[in-house]
């Protein structure tokens, strides 16, 4: 659904004030809001990082191999390197006996070639000597018997013929010199880290992780760890949002709490310089003080929307004026903690994935059976917090208690969001429902 192009202060609608969408009281659909937000995000520039730090990031360059892998033909087994023609017809009853002219270990080069009529002991991964074209595993020889009887390994009896080329890994079998091994845009997993290491790369160029400034607003908030005075609540949004940023692969920068006064808001927003995205919480709904909206609009170009979803109806999006021509996107989330987390899931997560150069895919979704009702009071798309379990091949979604947007434990107990569409007044127990899976608990089978 996303389009990758940057907008720096240029929007599809003029800035407007105090919670009104561009069409009066019309609400945007989730999809409309998503498209407008995502139009501002594209992959960030590439940076060189140590190989292990690249885990989970996206390649910013094509990787072409400087070498062959394996660099030399090598043995796939512990055994004997020889010429396949010398053991044609070999069997238990009619073994082929060959003198052993040396041994080659992994990491060493053979000291001599293998001519017709001789064999060389070889270890797994060791370079195959010139002249040899086949490796016979030691199990197909009398090596164990010789060792048991204390006889020297100066000769070996081969009890089985092998096709020419058996157990020989050709040079370049995995990767040829100059081959395009990994393309720019590839997500780096453990396997890719291993491939890059096999090419001798200690560093790799990846799409930079976005720096996301996180700012809570409100006079009622106190920072965790401080004493809680009358009428105050602890700021959970900063930490919930910052943790979500980390989970997406971004780098959060906690700016603390901005009080509901002009000086503090301006000072806190000035500290967002150098960010790739600013996420605020609270101060964006119709019932909030206009001070947050006023300051955001003074510092940039902002739009305040109502989105046809529950929770997370109020949403702000725009750009703060930055240094030079780099304006910083700002996403204003609602203040209620569940609303903030659901809005992050729908709009901030895909924006961060886009900046990371990752495919912007929705979460996995399943169809399941509701065990309790979801009410839809006002024609919005409802995202109900549910605990999903699979029993007898069927997914069951159980609402996680009261669904108020202030009840953060409803998110803590949930591993999915069950959807009641805009045009239905309710989804009842026993009905099929679409569920966005936030995570797969160990108890939930795929």
């Amino acid at each position: 659904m996303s389009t990758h192009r940057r907008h720096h202060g240029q929007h599809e609608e003029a800035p407007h004030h105090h919670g009104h969408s561009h069409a009066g009281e019309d609400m945007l659909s989730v999809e409309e809001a998503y498209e407008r937000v995502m139009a501002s995000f594209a992959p960030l520039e590439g940076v060189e990082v140590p190989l292990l730090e690249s885990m989970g990031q996206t390649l910013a360059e094509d990787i072409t191999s400087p070498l062959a892998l394996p660099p030399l033909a090598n043995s796939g087994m512990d055994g004997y390197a020889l010429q396949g023609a010398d053991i044609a017809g070999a069997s238990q009853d009619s073994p082929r006996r060959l003198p052993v002219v040396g041994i080659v270990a992994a990491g060493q080069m053979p000291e001599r070639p293998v001519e017709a009529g001789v064999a060389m002991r070889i270890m797994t991964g060791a370079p195959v000597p010139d002249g040899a074209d086949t490796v016979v595993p030691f199990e197909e020889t009398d090596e164990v018997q010789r060792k048991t009887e204390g006889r020297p390994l100066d000769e070996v009896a081969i009890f089985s013929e092998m096709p020419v080329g058996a157990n020989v890994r050709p040079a370049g079998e995995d990767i040829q010199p100059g081959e395009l091994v990994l393309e720019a845009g590839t997500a780096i997993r453990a396997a890719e880290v291993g491939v890059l290491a096999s090419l001798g790369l200690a560093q790799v160029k990846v799409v930079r992780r976005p720096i996301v400034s996180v700012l809570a607003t409100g006079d009622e908030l106190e920072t965790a760890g401080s004493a809680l005075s009358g009428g105050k609540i602890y700021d959970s949004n900063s930490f919930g949002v910052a943790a979500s940023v980390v989970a997406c692969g971004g780098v959060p920068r906690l700016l603390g709490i901005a009080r509901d006064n002009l000086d503090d808001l301006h000072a806190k927003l000035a500290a967002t310089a150098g960010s790739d995205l600013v996420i605020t919480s609270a101060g964006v709904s119709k019932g909030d003080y206009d001070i947050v909206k006023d300051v955001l609009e003074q510092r940039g170009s902002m739009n305040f929307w109502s989105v046809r979803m529950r929770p997370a109806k109020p949403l702000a999006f725009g750009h703060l004026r930055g240094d030079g021509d780099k304006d910083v996107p700002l996403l204003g989330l609602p203040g209620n903690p569940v609303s903030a987390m659901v809005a992050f899931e729908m709009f901030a997560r895909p924006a961060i994935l886009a900046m990371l150069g990752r495919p912007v895919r929705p979460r996995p979704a399943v169809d399941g059976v509701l065990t309790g009702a979801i009410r839809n009071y006002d024609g919005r798309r409802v995202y109900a917090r549910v605990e999903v379990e699979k029993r007898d091949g069927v997914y069951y979604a159980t609402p996680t208690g009261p669904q108020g947007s202030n009840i953060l434990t409803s998110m803590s107990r949930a591993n999915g969001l069950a959807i009641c569409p805009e045009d239905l007044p309710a989804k009842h127990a026993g009905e099929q429902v679409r569920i966005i899976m936030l995570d797969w608990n160990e108890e939930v089978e795929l």
Side-chain angles (χ1 to χ4, degrees):
M1 291 167 66
S2 66
T3 53
H4 291 322
R5 57 192 172 88
R6 284 205 179 273
H7 273 357
H8 292 314
Q10 299 298 314
H11 304 289
E12 295 139 44
E13 54 185 305
H16 40 262
H17 298 264
H18 312 323
H20 296 288
S21 72
H22 74 294
E25 293 303 312
D26 289 346
M27 285 192 283
L28 297 181
S29 69
V30 175
E31 289 76 18
E32 288 170 328
Y34 175 93
E35 292 289 351
R36 294 185 189 194
V37 169
M38 292 302 290
S40 289
F41 295 96
L44 300 175
E45 71 276 9
V47 292
E48 291 273 347
V49 299
L51 181 56
L52 202 54
E53 289 182 20
S54 73
M55 181 70 179
Q57 291 185 255
T58 304
L59 271 177
E61 60 183 349
D62 289 342
I63 301 296
T64 301
S65 178
L67 44 78
L69 277 181
L72 299 167
N74 68 92
S75 176
M77 303 285 283
D78 288 351
Y80 290 86
L82 43 77
Q83 295 187 6
D86 287 338
I87 58 170
S91 67
Q92 286 282 346
D93 298 329
S94 179
R96 297 291 182 268
R97 300 184 186 277
L98 300 174
V100 178
V101 296
I103 185 169
V104 55
Q108 295 181 351
M109 291 298 293
E111 294 181 357
R112 54 169 289 179
V114 169
E115 305 91 1
V118 303
M120 187 178 289
R121 184 75 169 87
I122 192 167
M123 303 303 178
T124 302
V128 174
D130 288 343
D133 57 22
T134 303
V135 172
V136 178
F138 76 87
E139 296 93 341
E140 302 295 333
T141 73
D142 67 345
E143 177 183 303
V144 172
Q145 183 181 350
R146 280 177 173 271
K147 286 181 175 178
T148 302
E149 296 173 357
R151 288 189 287 153
L153 294 176
D154 57 354
E155 185 184 67
V156 65
I158 310 293
F159 296 129
S160 177
E161 66 178 348
M162 296 270 166
V164 171
N167 302 310
V168 174
R169 301 163 174 163
E173 180 184 32
D174 188 5
I175 297 172
Q176 293 287 335
E179 179 182 340
L180 175 61
V181 181
L182 295 171
E183 293 185 355
T186 299
I188 300 176
R189 306 165 302 167
E192 283 73 27
V193 170
V195 169
L196 293 164
S198 75
L199 301 178
L201 298 176
Q203 289 196 309
V204 65
K205 193 173 187 180
V206 297
V207 176
R208 178 173 64 80
R209 293 188 186 277
I211 297 169
V212 182
S213 286
V214 179
L215 177 63
T217 67
D219 286 341
E220 77 281 10
L221 300 178
E222 291 283 6
T223 302
S226 62
L228 198 62
S229 54
K232 305 285 189 178
I233 58 173
Y234 285 121
D235 167 28
S236 64
N237 282 345
S238 290
F239 293 93
V241 168
S244 299
V245 169
V246 172
C248 293
V251 179
R253 184 194 287 172
L254 283 166
L255 301 184
I257 300 165
R259 301 304 176 188
D260 290 326
N261 65 74
L262 288 170
D263 290 344
D264 198 34
L265 267 168
H266 278 297
K268 291 293 197 304
L269 288 172
T272 63
S275 304
D276 300 294
L277 172 63
V278 178
I279 299 179
T280 63
S281 60
V284 296
S285 70
K286 293 184 178 67
D288 288 330
Y289 288 126
D290 285 339
I291 187 168
V292 176
K293 302 184 185 72
D294 289 343
V295 170
L296 291 179
E297 289 180 329
Q298 288 168 22
R299 299 191 71 90
S301 175
M302 296 300 302
N303 301 285
F304 298 90
W305 300 327
S306 290
V307 184
R308 200 176 297 114
M309 60 189 293
R310 177 192 297 277
K313 176 181 175 183
L315 191 74
F317 183 70
H319 292 77
L320 299 178
R321 282 186 295 276
D323 300 329
D325 63 350
K326 188 181 185 219
D327 292 352
V328 181
L330 183 145
L331 184 64
L333 307 180
N336 278 318
V338 177
S339 300
M341 294 199 79
V342 172
F344 183 99
E345 181 68 29
M346 296 301 155
F347 306 110
R349 176 180 175 270
I352 292 170
L353 292 179
M355 286 190 284
L356 283 164
R358 295 185 189 168
V360 184
R361 298 191 184 105
R363 297 271 194 188
V366 298
D367 292 312
V369 177
L370 267 178
T371 67
I374 302 173
R375 305 291 177 189
N376 190 351
Y377 302 102
D378 57 0
R380 287 189 267 163
R381 186 180 305 169
V382 179
Y383 295 89
R385 281 78 72 198
V386 292
E387 183 179 2
V388 181
E389 297 177 291
K390 191 176 187 182
R391 300 191 298 272
D392 300 324
V394 178
Y395 293 105
Y396 291 93
T398 302
T400 56
Q403 295 286 302
S405 58
N406 60 314
I407 301 177
L408 191 51
T409 53
S410 69
M411 283 295 287
S412 174
R413 298 185 183 112
N415 59 356
L417 298 173
I419 298 172
C420 179
E422 297 90 318
D423 56 352
L424 291 179
K427 279 278 190 176
H428 300 286
E431 290 187 346
Q432 283 277 322
V433 68
R434 191 71 171 162
I435 309 158
I436 299 170
M437 294 302 299
L438 300 176
D439 56 43
W440 292 100
N441 293 347
E442 290 181 3
E443 296 80 19
V444 181
E445 301 172 22
L446 285 169

